[in-house]
Amino acid sequence: MPIELRDLDALDAEAVQQNIDEVTARVREDNPTLYLKQGPFFSLLAYYHALFQTRGQANLEDYLNARSLSVMALDPTLASPELVDEAASNFNVTRLPGSTARGSVTIVVATSTSVVIGIGAVFEADGKRFVTELPFSAKLEAEQITQPGDRILLQQPDGNWAFVIEVVAEVEGEESALKKDTAIVPLVVPNLYVTSFATSDFLDGYSAQSNADLIAKLQTGIAAKTIGGQINNLALLLQQPEFERIVQLSCIGLGNAELTRDRPTIFPIKLGGRSDWYVRTQEDIVYEALLKTAVLVEKLIDGTGVWQMTFEREEAAGVFEIAKIRPAGSDDVGGFEILEDVRGIDLDGDGFIPDVTTAEHATYSSYQTITVRFLDDQTDIGALETGATADYDCERRLLPLIAEIQAFVNRYGVRSLGSDCLVKAPIPCFVSLHIAIAKQSGTADPDTDSMKNALVRLINGIGYVGRLYASQVSDVVHGYLDGNVGVSALDLHGRLRYPDGGLEYLRNRIVLTVPADEERMVSPRTVQFFATVDDISITVETNVPLNP
Amino acid sequence: MSVIEFQGRTADLLVFHGKFPSDREQLVALSLIPDKTGGFLCTGVQKTAQRVLTTLLTKRGTVQYRPNDGTHFLTDMERGAWRTQADVFQSFTAAKLTLMRQLRIAEEETDPDDERVDDVSLENVTLDADSVSLTFRLTTLSGDDYTFIAPISVTTH
């Protein structure tokens, strides 16, 4: 048991003095002729006795705290990680280690000359640092690829050349996540360098679980790992290695107004036997690039065309929305206007299927399908007939693992025999913030990159409470401000996407509140806030005069 | 002065060994339990003199959790401030204020007069190659003066 005895120089001075007072008083009572105010008896007897007595008391307190889950829960920061690990292990709960985010970087150079990126080369993006773990060498011919770090140089439509390398974050934690297409710049610029950007989302960066995280998990460790109440459901999922990183779960069942699946007739009778699981499988949304074929469905008079692409159930599981549709290979960052986003339902397949009858109920689940119609005002459709096809790049915004969790809870040995479970990603409320910071002239600018990352962690870490307070935001921001620097304006903005496709825009300066529209399945129990660093705008104004 | 006079007094362990009272100055030697003895107790003015010396010679800040114990007297010596006799006198004068304050804090109205300090003065300083002899005069509230010598070895490396 890793309880370390306190050092004599790491005691509470007040406790030492109390023990000195006590020992001198007791010795005087027992032997009134000993002089204990100053001098050798005091220094050699009373003082050292008090010191060791204090240490003994502190050690005893440490030991008692180490044995007490309630004391650990009151202030998890007091207990050493080893003690919490040992206590948690009694409940089959273990601490998840941290990991670093990793991803690919596309480096664009002006010519096809061979380029070398050394091992340990540093790249920076949004204030985060990433390094290479291999030496990379970009080569022109496929025959030259002989080493793990060899990469092929490919010519781009604009005449430049590009190759892809892999990098890993320097530090562990979610803070190192990076969105696809984010500019990521090498500290040492290669020859004829043009640009570089994240080829895909940088994922898998997790902080090691803190004492508080671990103690919060104790409840799931104690709970029976079986489908039942919300804690049981969460315990069941967290016990599976593939789902151990799930961050939030809200289960809606009989008696909850948001559950409309159990009222299948026009009669206002709830039949029960159904439950909806809104699972936030990770804090950050995944922005996934996809090459997709679309069909021309309508030729408009102005020469533009309406195109349609369909995402089958396997591609649509847990998807919130499709965005940034643009011609394949185009570097247009905006994307075409999406005219329609129609959700469907696909219940084909063997095995148990939950009782889902409408597309609204299937939305954000693994049973949804998505059909998107968009207006392409770039492609010349003069010679094309409806039914013609073309390739487009697009972006899926989703939470992963929704289909896997659904498959898991559908298993005969796992599922409840009294109820079905429909697993969905939470109903998303996409949050954006604008923060104005006022500072005195001469005061250093605050670290806005770190501030944005911390705010993303705040927003994406809020549980199923349905509220984001400006005071929470302000509290985080002030952690990065020094001296005469303050928040002069704060604007909270949210875009809530209902399962039926409806959008509601929320805006407030004090609190973003998720509306209660249970008939449409929207309530604080079903909605989660999502944000990325790009959704947070911070302006720093130098408008406070210097003190005279 | 007889033993009866010290009945009911509180006693401390004697560490500065010398003869008290004496009609002449005493060389005190530091020892917890001298050879072939079981140690000695002291009381009265001998205890008071010992109290003065232990307080004066405790380096302020070195007793953990009791930052106000002691004086800067020996700290001055350690940092090489004692080059001449005048330096030692100056150092004592600076330390005396702190010394007297701590001595008074430990005293009570009910203590016998010869255990309450009226004044402490540094009478003489003898600087040798590797030691310093300090001659103090202690005056108690009983009005008696006692002189004692405290040898202090000086680290030479």
Side-chain angles (χ1 to χ4, degrees), chain A residues 186-352:
Chain A
L187 283 193
V188 179
V189 176
N191 283 340
L192 301 166
Y193 169 82
V194 176
T195 186
S196 51
F197 54 88
T199 315
S200 58
D201 285 352
F202 280 37
L203 301 173
D204 299 329
Y206 297 105
S207 302
Q209 285 188 321
S210 65
N211 282 356
D213 295 332
L214 207 56
I215 288 169
K217 275 176 68 179
L218 282 182
Q219 203 174 13
T220 62
I222 299 164
K225 281 79 177 171
T226 177
I227 290 177
Q230 172 144 324
I231 297 298
N232 300 95
N233 298 343
L234 183 59
L236 175 67
L237 293 182
L238 291 178
Q239 199 190 31
Q240 315 309 314
E242 63 270 39
F243 306 139
E244 65 185 7
R245 296 281 183 184
I246 285 173
V247 285
Q248 302 282 350
L249 171 67
S250 176
C251 297
I252 304 298
L254 182 63
N256 294 129
E258 300 90 335
L259 185 71
T260 55
R261 284 195 302 128
D262 64 348
R263 200 180 56 196
T265 69
I266 59 171
F267 299 107
I269 300 169
K270 285 179 167 283
L271 301 179
R274 294 156 183 81
S275 64
D276 288 353
W277 293 18
Y278 293 88
V279 192
R280 184 162 192 158
T281 51
Q282 62 181 48
E283 286 194 354
D284 298 330
I285 285 182
V286 174
Y287 293 78
E288 196 172 74
L290 197 68
L291 180 66
K292 191 77 183 163
T293 301
V295 179
L296 179 63
V297 292
E298 188 178 356
K299 295 173 72 173
L300 301 180
I301 293 175
D302 61 2
T304 60
V306 177
W307 296 74
Q308 175 175 301
M309 57 174 65
T310 301
F311 295 82
E312 301 299 339
R313 179 172 135 182
E314 293 74 18
E315 294 174 312
V319 172
F320 296 121
E321 57 187 9
I322 306 294
K324 291 190 175 177
I325 301 174
R326 54 199 188 279
S330 164
D331 55 3
D332 179 8
V333 293
F336 297 130
E337 179 189 359
I338 293 178
L339 303 174
E340 270 187 299
D341 177 341
V342 180
R343 305 290 164 125
I345 181 170
D346 178 359
L347 299 174
D348 287 346
D350 298 330
F352 180 80

Side-chain angles (χ1 to χ4, degrees), chain A residues 429-436 466 468-470 489-496 503-515 529 535 537:
Chain A
C429 180
F430 302 101
V431 174
S432 55
L433 302 179
H434 173 69
I435 301 163
L468 169 62
Y469 290 96
L490 185 56
D491 196 14
L492 311 172
H493 186 265
R495 178 169 62 90
L496 178 61
L503 294 175
E504 181 168 352
Y505 293 92
L506 314 171
R507 188 169 189 177
N508 203 298
R509 290 176 186 275
I510 299 170
V511 58
L512 271 191
T513 306
V514 170
F529 295 115
D535 299 319
S537 141

Side-chain angles (χ1 to χ4, degrees), chain A residues 135-171:
Chain A
F136 291 99
S137 178
K139 298 182 173 173
L140 196 57
E141 304 293 338
E143 294 76 34
Q144 297 173 297
I145 307 295
T146 56
Q147 300 297 320
D150 289 347
R151 296 290 186 270
I152 189 81
L153 265 171
L154 295 172
Q155 190 161 27
Q156 302 301 295
D158 60 3
N160 288 321
W161 296 76
F163 62 102
V164 177
I165 65 168
E166 288 76 44
V167 295
V168 61
E170 273 192 343
V171 294

Side-chain angles (χ1 to χ4, degrees), chain A residues 380-461:
Chain A
D380 180 8
I381 59 166
L384 300 178
E385 295 298 327
T386 55
T389 61
D391 288 340
Y392 290 86
D393 287 329
C394 64
E395 185 177 274
R396 288 189 304 175
R397 298 174 178 175
L398 68 130
L399 279 184
L401 295 176
I402 299 299
E404 288 81 354
I405 296 172
Q406 182 70 64
F408 173 70
V409 298
N410 281 355
R411 281 190 211 161
Y412 182 75
V414 175
R415 70 182 171 88
S416 164
L417 299 180
S419 169
D420 71 7
C421 306
L422 178 60
V423 179
K424 308 178 184 185
I427 296 168
C429 180
F430 302 101
V431 174
S432 55
L433 302 179
H434 173 69
I435 301 163
I437 292 172
K439 72 178 188 74
Q440 272 191 346
S441 58
T443 309
D445 280 347
D447 180 0
T448 53
D449 285 337
S450 299
M451 205 184 294
K452 286 180 180 179
N453 285 321
L455 287 169
V456 168
R457 298 275 68 79
L458 165 75
I459 294 164
N460 290 348

Side-chain angles (χ1 to χ4, degrees), chain A residues 8-9 11 33 35 37 47, chain B residues 10-12 51 64-66 106:
Chain A
L8 285 179
D9 57 0
L11 303 176
T33 61
Y35 183 76
K37 291 177 192 167
Y47 172 74
Chain B
T10 57
D12 203 354
R51 201 155 61 84
Q64 204 147 23
Y65 309 111
R66 295 182 67 82

Side-chain angles (χ1 to χ4, degrees), chain B residues 94-126:
Chain B
K96 185 177 172 182
L97 190 66
T98 319
L99 170 69
M100 295 304 290
R101 189 184 302 128
Q102 289 175 59
L103 293 173
R104 298 246 158 82
I105 286 172
E107 292 172 359
E108 292 173 18
E109 291 288 330
T110 53
D111 289 345
D113 281 351
D114 64 348
E115 293 185 10
R116 299 179 67 188
V117 177
D118 183 39
D119 189 36
V120 181
S121 59
L122 180 59
E123 296 287 299
N124 189 32
V125 175
T126 306

Side-chain angles (χ1 to χ4, degrees), chain B:
Chain B
M1 194 171 281
S2 66
V3 173
I4 293 176
E5 289 180 55
F6 295 101
Q7 280 186 344
R9 297 286 190 96
T10 57
D12 203 354
L13 183 68
L14 181 66
V15 291
F16 288 104
H17 296 271
K19 187 180 176 186
F20 289 89
S22 169
D23 54 356
R24 60 185 179 83
E25 61 191 26
Q26 294 290 306
L27 181 65
V28 293
L30 183 63
S31 171
L32 270 181
I33 300 174
D35 282 349
K36 299 177 183 173
T37 73
F40 296 95
L41 294 177
C42 63
T43 188
V45 70
Q46 197 167 10
K47 184 178 77 184
T48 310
Q50 180 169 282
R51 201 155 61 84
V52 170
L53 268 185
T54 52
T55 306
L56 178 69
L57 301 183
T58 297
K59 284 186 283 182
R60 193 173 174 83
T62 58
V63 183
Q64 204 147 23
Y65 309 111
R66 295 182 67 82
N68 296 325
D69 281 8
T71 70
H72 289 298
F73 190 58
L74 277 194
T75 314
D76 288 347
M77 182 200 75
E78 283 189 344
R79 67 185 176 87
W82 292 1
R83 294 171 188 276
T84 64
Q85 289 181 328
D87 294 333
V88 183
F89 278 106
Q90 185 180 343
S91 179
F92 176 77
T93 305
K96 185 177 172 182
L97 190 66
T98 319
L99 170 69
M100 295 304 290
R101 189 184 302 128
Q102 289 175 59
L103 293 173
R104 298 246 158 82
I105 286 172
E107 292 172 359
E108 292 173 18
E109 291 288 330
T110 53
D111 289 345
D113 281 351
D114 64 348
E115 293 185 10
R116 299 179 67 188
V117 177
D118 183 39
D119 189 36
V120 181
S121 59
L122 180 59
E123 296 287 299
N124 189 32
V125 175
T126 306
L127 292 174
D128 290 330
D130 61 351
S131 70
V132 181
S133 285
L134 305 170
T135 305
F136 295 100
R137 177 177 295 279
L138 165 65
T139 309
T140 64
L141 285 188
S142 64
D144 297 326
D145 289 353
Y146 302 95
T147 305
F148 53 95
I149 301 170
I152 300 169
S153 72
V154 178
T155 307
T156 54
H157 57 271

